Amino acid sequence: MKAIIIYSFFFLFLPISILGQTTKDEDSIRISLLTCSPGEELYSLFGHTAIRYEEPLKGVDIVFNYGMFSFNAPNFALRFALGETDYILGVEDYRHFAAEYSFYNRSVKQQILNLTVEEKERLIQLLQENYLPQNRTYRYNFFYDNCATRPLDKIRESINGEIIFPDLLNGRTVTYRDVVHQFTQGHPWASFGFDLCLGARADQPISIEQSMFAPFYLMEAFNGAEIDENGQKRPLVLKTETIIESVPSTNVSIWNLFSPFICSVLLLLIIVLIAIRSIRRKKDCWILHLILFASAGLAGCIFAFLALFSSHPAVDRNYVLFLLHPGHLLFLPYIIYCTRKGKKCWYLTANSLVLTLFIAFFPLIPQEFDGAVVPLALGLLTLSVSHLIINHKKKA
C-alpha cells in the first residue's frame, strides 16, 4: 500500500472550492483507478491505489489518495502496533503525484472507469464529502480498510446497479498469508517478519473480494468486472493503460544473500558446536544462554503484545508463542544463575519438553511458518538439552 508522509499543507488542504466546481459538460469528465507498483520501503511493498479525476475544460487533474499518513504523529510506533494508526484522504495535483512515482521508479497503471454522467457526478460528490476536514481521517486496517478498499467502496456506492467481479482465484484456495508472501518475494526478511507476526487466522481461506485489499488484486478484478444494472451489463473499465513505466532494477540486496533461513541454520550450527564443547567441558556457556534467551524473550514480548492488545487482524492465535515468548525474558535471571552456578534449571527442563512437542507436532499446527522457525526451535532445544546433559545428576 502506498503510505507517503504528509509533506505539504497545500496537498492536504486543497481548497474545496476547486473540488466543488461543476460543469454542464459532465461527460467530459474522466475518472480512473490508478494502481502503483510496489516500492522498496516496507509500507510500500504491496503497491498503492488512488483515484484520478480529470476535467480538461476546467483544467482540473487531481488524485484522491487514501494512503497518506505522518510518521511524526504522536506515539506513531505504539499506535501502529496497536492497530490504531489514522490515515488521511489527501488530494494532490496529478503532476506532483506522477513526478513522485517517476522519481522512485514505480510504474502506474490507469483504468478508465466506464461510468455514466450521473455515476461520475455521484462519485465526485462522495469524494468531496470524504475530503471534508471532519471526514478525511480514518482508522487504517491492513486487511479490511486501506488505500485499496476505500476507493472500491466509493466506486461501488456511486454506480447504479451492482459490480460483478470475475473469479480471480480460479477455484484456488488463497489466504491472507499467501497474498502477503506474493508481495514480499525478493524481501525475505520482510516476509519472515510478517510470518512471525501473523497468527493462525491469516491461514484461513479468503474470498475474492477479501483478496482485493491488495491493490493489484483490485486492479485485476476491475479488468474483468461488469456493472449489472437491471439486467443490462457493461464493463466496469473502458481502457487500461500504463501511464508511468518503471525501469527494471538489477540491484541485489545483501540481505537477500543472507536470508532468515540461512542465518538461522548458521546460528544452529554455532549453537551445536558450542553445546558439544560445553558438554565435553561439563560447563555451560552462560553468555550464549543470555544472548539467545534474551533475544527470544524480547521477540516473544512483541508477539504476545500483538496477540493480546493489537486490533490488527490475524495477529492473534499465534502459535509461534510456543517458541518465542516472554517467559524466556522473565526467567532469564534464574537461567543465568543456574548455568553459572552449575545447577540444574527446571525452566530449561520445561522448555526442552515444550520445544520437543512443538517440533514433533509441527506439521499438525494449523498455522504456516517460515522455514527459519525450525532451525531456531532446534537451536533453543539444543541449548536447553545440553544444559540437562551437563547437569543431569544434579538437583534443581
Side-chain angles (χ1 to χ4, degrees):
M1 286 353 129
K2 178 174 184 290
I4 60 177
I5 301 176
I6 304 173
Y7 55 87
S8 171
F9 282 104
F10 173 76
F11 297 129
L12 273 181
F13 299 101
L14 191 69
I16 296 296
S17 59
I18 295 178
L19 301 180
Q21 291 177 347
T22 58
T23 177
K24 295 180 180 179
D25 300 311
E26 286 93 346
D27 57 349
S28 69
I29 295 173
R30 189 164 74 164
I31 300 180
S32 307
L33 188 77
L34 303 181
T35 304
C36 313
S37 66
E40 291 300 317
E41 298 84 359
L42 181 62
Y43 61 76
S44 65
L45 290 180
F46 297 84
H48 180 56
T49 298
I51 295 177
R52 183 181 182 184
Y53 163 38
E54 301 172 83
E55 191 175 348
L57 294 179
K58 293 289 185 179
V60 176
D61 191 356
I62 56 178
V63 175
F64 288 86
N65 181 355
Y66 281 96
M68 304 187 81
F69 70 89
S70 174
F71 282 121
N72 296 323
N75 303 313
F76 177 84
L78 177 60
R79 290 175 63 87
F80 184 84
L82 288 170
E84 297 178 356
T85 309
D86 289 331
Y87 273 47
I88 299 170
L89 169 61
V91 176
E92 56 186 306
D93 185 86
Y94 171 74
R95 291 172 299 174
H96 293 88
F97 180 88
E100 179 190 350
Y101 279 89
S102 294
F103 179 80
Y104 288 108
N105 192 32
R106 296 174 63 182
S107 65
V108 178
K109 291 186 178 294
Q110 174 173 269
Q111 293 170 296
I112 303 171
L113 301 181
N114 184 23
L115 304 180
T116 65
V117 171
E118 180 185 355
E119 289 168 342
K120 292 177 184 177
E121 187 178 75
R122 188 180 299 125
L123 178 54
I124 294 169
Q125 289 175 347
L126 287 171
L127 293 171
Q128 289 175 7
E129 291 174 4
N130 213 179
Y131 184 67
L132 293 173
Q134 65 269 27
N135 299 331
R136 66 179 59 155
T137 301
Y138 71 99
R139 182 56 48 87
Y140 176 83
N141 189 301
F142 181 67
F143 289 141
Y144 306 138
D145 196 354
N146 60 31
C147 70
T149 62
R150 286 260 162 170
L152 170 61
D153 291 340
K154 296 305 173 186
I155 292 169
R156 181 177 272 155
E157 286 180 51
S158 68
I159 65 167
N160 298 316
E162 179 185 5
I163 301 179
I164 307 299
F165 292 105
D167 183 6
L168 294 177
L169 307 181
N170 296 317
R172 294 180 294 118
T173 298
V174 173
T175 66
Y176 282 124
R177 197 184 303 271
D178 292 332
V179 179
V180 169
H181 284 171
Q182 181 179 345
F183 289 97
T184 53
Q185 288 182 2
H187 298 82
W189 286 97
S191 180
F192 179 60
F194 275 112
D195 268 339
L196 289 179
C197 292
L198 293 174
R201 281 206 297 163
D203 296 303
Q204 296 176 355
I206 60 175
S207 66
I208 295 171
E209 291 203 22
Q210 286 175 311
S211 71
M212 294 182 205
F213 81 93
F216 276 82
Y217 274 75
L218 179 65
M219 182 185 73
E220 289 301 321
F222 268 43
N223 272 337
E226 293 182 321
I227 298 175
D228 187 344
E229 183 179 355
N230 299 322
Q232 299 294 319
K233 294 183 179 181
R234 54 188 159 99
L236 176 59
V237 174
L238 281 175
K239 181 182 179 182
T240 300
E241 55 190 355
T242 301
I243 54 177
I244 298 177
E245 190 73 69
S246 62
V247 179
S249 175
T250 57
N251 295 331
V252 178
S253 172
I254 189 172
W255 295 109
N256 292 347
L257 301 177
F258 294 95
S259 68
F261 181 76
I262 291 175
C263 290
S264 64
V265 170
L266 291 175
L267 178 61
L268 173 60
L269 291 176
I270 293 172
I271 293 172
V272 169
L273 292 175
I274 293 177
I276 292 173
R277 182 173 178 269
S278 298
I279 292 172
R280 287 176 177 174
R281 296 178 61 194
K282 296 183 179 180
K283 185 177 181 181
D284 270 320
C285 179
W286 67 270
I287 295 179
L288 184 61
H289 282 80
L290 173 64
I291 294 173
L292 289 185
F293 282 102
S295 301
L298 287 171
C301 288
I302 295 174
F303 304 138
F305 177 83
L306 291 174
L308 294 173
F309 303 110
S310 178
S311 60
H312 278 299
V315 295
D316 57 350
R317 288 172 49 198
N318 193 345
Y319 289 88
V320 80
L321 284 168
F322 282 102
L323 169 64
L324 306 172
H325 55 80
H328 295 321
L329 200 60
L330 180 65
F331 290 97
L332 184 59
Y334 175 65
I335 295 172
I336 301 305
Y337 169 78
C338 291
T339 54
R340 294 200 67 178
K341 296 296 183 180
K343 295 185 176 182
K344 189 174 182 179
C345 178
W346 68 263
Y347 180 81
L348 292 180
T349 302
N351 189 57
S352 299
L353 177 60
V354 171
L355 290 176
T356 299
L357 293 174
F358 179 82
I359 295 170
F361 292 97
F362 187 79
L364 302 179
I365 298 175
Q367 178 176 329
E368 184 179 341
F369 295 94
D370 188 279
V373 166
V374 174
L376 288 177
L378 288 172
L380 289 174
L381 177 60
T382 300
L383 196 60
S384 298
V385 170
S386 67
H387 169 83
L388 299 181
I389 293 174
I390 295 170
N391 302 281
H392 70 284
K393 293 182 179 180
K394 300 175 183 178
K395 294 182 179 181

